């Protein structure tokens, strides 16, 4: 099952800047498939996958249709290792 994980925790100064700039309570998101999180992370150097213990006090989780799983994994395979992009 795929999920969208939305970070609402305090985080670092960059998280606060992103929330201010976007006008959102969220500063980061992850796509999660079978317990593995996929995203582009400045802290991790770009597009990566990793297991994250999501503290639900800091993350909102949104279930996505199971049909999203293959697309998420395909996109990750095509972009894995790409550098982080502010745009």
């Amino acid at each position: 099952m795929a999920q969208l994980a939305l970070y609402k925790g305090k985080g670092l100064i960059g998280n606060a800047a992103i929330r201010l700039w976007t006008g959102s309570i969220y500063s980061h998101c992850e796509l999660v498939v079978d317990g593995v999180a996929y995203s582009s992370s400045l802290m991790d150097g770009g597009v990566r996958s990793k297991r994250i213990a999501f503290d639900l006090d800091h993350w909102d989780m949104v279930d996505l249709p199971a049909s999203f799983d293959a697309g998420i994994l395909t996109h990750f395979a095509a972009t894995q290792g790409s550098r982080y992009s502010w745009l």
Side-chain angles (χ1 to χ4, degrees):
M1 172 175 68
Q3 293 180 297
L4 177 64
L6 300 161
Y7 185 67
K8 61 184 177 182
K10 183 178 178 184
L12 303 173
I13 189 79
N15 297 95
I18 290 169
R19 285 192 303 273
L20 181 65
W21 183 50
T22 62
S24 175
I25 65 169
Y26 304 112
S27 61
H28 180 72
C29 68
E30 301 274 342
L31 289 167
V32 183
V33 178
D34 296 329
V36 178
Y38 300 89
S39 79
S40 183
S41 167
L42 180 61
M43 290 179 9
D44 291 332
V47 178
R48 55 90 178 120
S49 66
K50 73 185 216 182
R51 291 200 177 272
I52 297 174
F54 291 101
D55 177 348
L56 298 183
D57 288 336
H58 301 281
W59 293 86
D60 285 336
M61 306 299 286
V62 178
D63 291 338
L64 300 174
S67 60
F68 282 36
D69 293 14
I72 292 168
L73 298 177
T74 298
H75 185 70
F76 174 72
T79 58
Q80 181 178 8
S82 296
R83 295 180 55 152
Y84 185 82
S85 171
W86 285 99
L87 298 177

